[in-house]
Amino acid sequence: MNKDKRIEILTRLRDENPNPETELEYTSPFELLVAVTLSAQATDVSVNKATRKLFPVANTPEAIVALGVDGLKEYIKTIGLFNSKANNVVKLSQILVEQHNSEVPENREALEALPGVGRKTANVVLNCAFGWPTIAVDTHIFRVSNRTNFAKGKDVVEVEKKLDKVVPKEFKVDVHHWLILHGRYVCTARKPKCGSCLIEDLCEFKEKTDC
């Protein structure tokens, strides 16, 4: 895919949604960190249902530590892998209290050193909480990038590097939101809705559908 086509795709996505946001609900960097950690292999909808009950009770590192693993499990037991996630969230909260003055660090290495926090989670936190132009490649972005030929790669790291290279600076802060939402609602996994896609004429997917 050439540069002009990529810019037109991004321009159309921006025009449709000028101020995209994550669908995870949060009011602080710590709430976002917890929500993203809980969202691994789970839907944003399921995480939001749980955190709407959790955050009014515990939305600081100290409060999560006081709640404890068993207490936290009661709030997140509807989310997949809740046992390991409860352990990770309590441990990362303890580290934030002990090493970071209970603040979420604006630092990739420090974030990735936290239990349950990988590169994708760190990218989301840096982007959404601190405005960094990081691109968190999930299954939706991986699919859309490869299917459209926008940024092909054999794994998420390769796609992230390709996107970082080909996406112009003016689009970088918001691009992962546009691609996630496009993959979630239009360029869906089983059957993409090509007939109602605003970038269908620019997409290089060869097996387009009519829906």
Side-chain angles (χ1 to χ4, degrees), residues 6 17 21 40 44 47 85 103 109 127 131 143 176-177 184 198 209:
R6 287 194 182 98
N17 188 3
E21 296 179 348
D44 289 358
V47 173
K85 289 176 181 179
E103 297 290 333
E109 290 72 25
N127 178 274
R143 179 177 65 256
H176 93 262
H177 294 297
R184 185 172 289 164
L198 81 165
T209 67

Side-chain angles (χ1 to χ4, degrees), residues 24-206:
L24 289 170
E25 297 171 0
Y26 70 98
T27 61
S28 69
F30 179 71
E31 286 187 0
L32 176 64
L33 175 61
V34 171
V36 180
T37 302
L38 295 177
S39 72
Q41 299 182 50
T43 65
D44 289 358
V45 172
S46 68
V47 173
N48 289 337
K49 283 182 180 179
T51 57
R52 283 173 198 157
K53 295 178 181 179
L54 170 65
F55 288 156
V57 175
N59 70 340
T60 65
E62 291 90 346
I64 292 290
V65 171
L67 195 60
V69 173
D70 289 337
L72 179 56
K73 284 180 184 179
E74 287 303 307
Y75 289 95
I76 67 169
K77 60 187 177 183
T78 55
I79 301 174
L81 307 174
F82 72 92
N83 283 311
S84 61
K85 289 176 181 179
N87 279 297
N88 285 333
V89 170
V90 171
K91 287 178 182 176
L92 72 83
S93 298
Q94 186 75 49
I95 291 171
L96 292 180
V97 171
E98 294 174 354
Q99 300 180 20
H100 300 286
N101 297 314
S102 299
E103 297 290 333
V104 175
E106 188 178 347
N107 177 283
R108 177 182 297 284
E109 290 72 25
L111 284 169
E112 291 188 23
L114 297 172
V117 177
R119 183 175 183 83
K120 187 183 80 171
T121 297
N123 278 342
V124 173
V125 172
L126 290 170
N127 178 274
C128 299
F130 301 114
W132 285 32
T134 50
I135 302 172
V137 178
D138 69 349
T139 55
H140 296 302
I141 293 181
F142 183 78
R143 179 177 65 256
V144 171
S145 296
N146 277 289
R147 182 183 276 166
T148 61
N149 209 29
F150 190 98
K152 294 183 74 67
K154 65 180 182 295
D155 55 43
V156 293
V157 174
E158 192 171 308
V159 169
E160 180 188 334
K161 289 179 180 178
K162 185 68 180 289
L163 286 169
D164 191 53
K165 180 179 179 181
V166 302
V167 174
K169 184 178 179 180
E170 65 177 296
F171 299 105
K172 265 192 183 163
V173 170
D174 294 322
V175 67
H176 93 262
H177 294 297
W178 292 323
L179 294 179
I180 285 173
L181 294 171
H182 193 68
R184 185 172 289 164
Y185 297 111
V186 182
C187 195
T188 50
R190 292 186 179 179
K191 190 175 183 182
K193 301 171 184 175
C194 301
S196 56
C197 174
L198 81 165
I199 61 169
E200 181 188 10
D201 57 315
L202 301 168
C203 170
E204 296 180 1
F205 182 53
K206 292 181 170 57

